[in-house]
Amino acid sequence: MCGRFALTATPDQTAGFLGLAELEGFPARYNIAPTQPVLMAVSGFPQAPGSNLPDRQAILVRWGLIPAWVKDVRAFPLLFNARSEGAAEKASFRAAMRHRRALVPASGFYEWQQASSKEAGGKRGQPYWVRPRHGGLVAFAGLIETYAEPGGSEMDTGAILTVHANADIAHIHDRMPVVIHPQDFARWLDCRTLEPRDVADLLCPAQADFFEAIPVSDLVNKVANTGPEIQERGVVGPEPEKVRHQKSGADDSQMTLF
């Protein structure tokens, strides 16, 4: 799963990583949540012969994909993740997989390890900050769908593709975001000549030791907490007796993924 992530690199660092000409200024974001705007990169129009400008462009999308055929948004689930194993055939993602594949730049993501039924006893879910072991940025596989609202305005929406977790993450959760490496950016974004089956080999778990998982406090559970302190190492203690009946982990509104 990927229900929260962070992008703390500078605009120049992010543009250089994605191969973009430039990006408008934006602040470091430590706790990006579904329904918020997220930065994605897509393949743009080919440049004229001899041009040194990249043919990729940045786009801000609402994190939570809405297929074009949806009639009532209020009755439709929040699709901020898409299982990569069936995305090319599933009605909600089929068009985006064919025509609107994207890259989602991130400094890392958060994941929650839930206590087993035998261990629960009031213990809350332990959040982890999962980042590239050697630092820097990472690009998740994304999908974009432009939704036309009943009033006629259009809204770009998106989702992050997930895959079964590798050994670094499996002890925390069984899913993780799909990582697209820089050498594969062009292939993944090429929706003109490459169909989903041509890039299916990219939809795999990151190699072992690519990520490191750091336990953090439960500050990340609240969307209102947006500072760097949420990435500091910490351990979540037992839940207070008076609220043990509540569901552990992150906000209910943010963490219902599959």
Side-chain angles (χ1 to χ4, degrees), residues 8-253:
T8 59
T10 67
D12 286 346
Q13 290 170 333
T14 306
F17 175 69
L18 293 175
L20 298 169
E22 60 181 354
L23 284 172
E24 294 184 5
F26 58 80
R29 300 177 67 191
Y30 291 89
N31 197 6
I32 302 171
T35 73
Q36 294 180 352
V38 299
L39 176 69
M40 294 193 184
V42 296
S43 180
F45 294 106
Q47 297 294 333
S51 172
N52 292 324
L53 294 176
D55 63 353
R56 294 173 194 161
Q57 64 184 59
I59 185 171
L60 277 178
V61 310
R62 171 193 182 266
W63 189 15
L65 187 143
I66 305 175
W69 45 262
V70 171
K71 301 299 183 183
D72 185 358
V73 174
R74 294 171 299 179
F76 194 75
L78 184 59
L79 301 179
F80 50 92
N81 282 169
R83 285 181 175 261
S84 61
E85 294 89 343
E89 289 78 37
K90 191 168 183 179
S92 296
F93 308 116
R94 184 167 55 234
M97 275 291 292
R98 178 64 188 89
H99 302 290
R100 290 172 289 275
R101 298 190 295 269
L103 297 170
V104 185
S107 301
F109 66 100
Y110 301 96
E111 191 52 89
W112 280 258
Q113 181 185 50
Q114 301 298 327
S116 67
S117 57
K118 293 182 179 180
E119 299 172 343
K123 187 177 180 180
R124 294 177 290 178
Q126 172 64 55
Y128 284 83
W129 165 234
V130 184
R131 65 185 183 187
R133 187 174 298 275
H134 300 296
L137 284 161
V138 64
F140 300 144
L143 300 174
I144 293 177
E145 185 71 86
T146 301
Y147 178 72
E149 298 178 292
S153 61
E154 292 186 340
M155 173 175 57
D156 292 316
T157 68
I160 293 174
L161 286 158
T162 67
V163 69
H164 62 86
N166 67 8
D168 300 328
I169 311 300
H171 68 288
I172 302 172
H173 196 274
D174 62 352
R175 306 290 296 179
M176 68 185 300
V178 173
V179 172
I180 304 295
H181 297 286
Q183 64 269 24
D184 297 316
F185 284 0
R187 280 185 61 209
W188 174 250
L189 294 178
D190 182 3
C191 297
R192 295 188 182 91
T193 64
L194 298 181
E195 297 187 7
R197 64 173 179 269
D198 300 318
V199 294
D201 60 298
L202 301 180
L203 302 177
C204 60
Q207 64 267 32
D209 296 327
F210 181 83
F211 286 114
E212 62 178 349
I214 301 167
V216 295
S217 75
D218 58 3
L219 287 174
V220 67
N221 292 4
K222 297 293 184 181
V223 180
N225 295 330
T226 59
E229 65 276 3
I230 68 174
Q231 293 180 355
E232 294 176 2
R233 187 177 294 270
V235 176
V236 174
E239 192 168 12
E241 184 68 31
K242 63 180 180 180
V243 296
R244 283 188 182 178
H245 65 280
Q246 297 177 355
K247 186 177 180 179
S248 62
D251 298 12
D252 290 346
S253 63

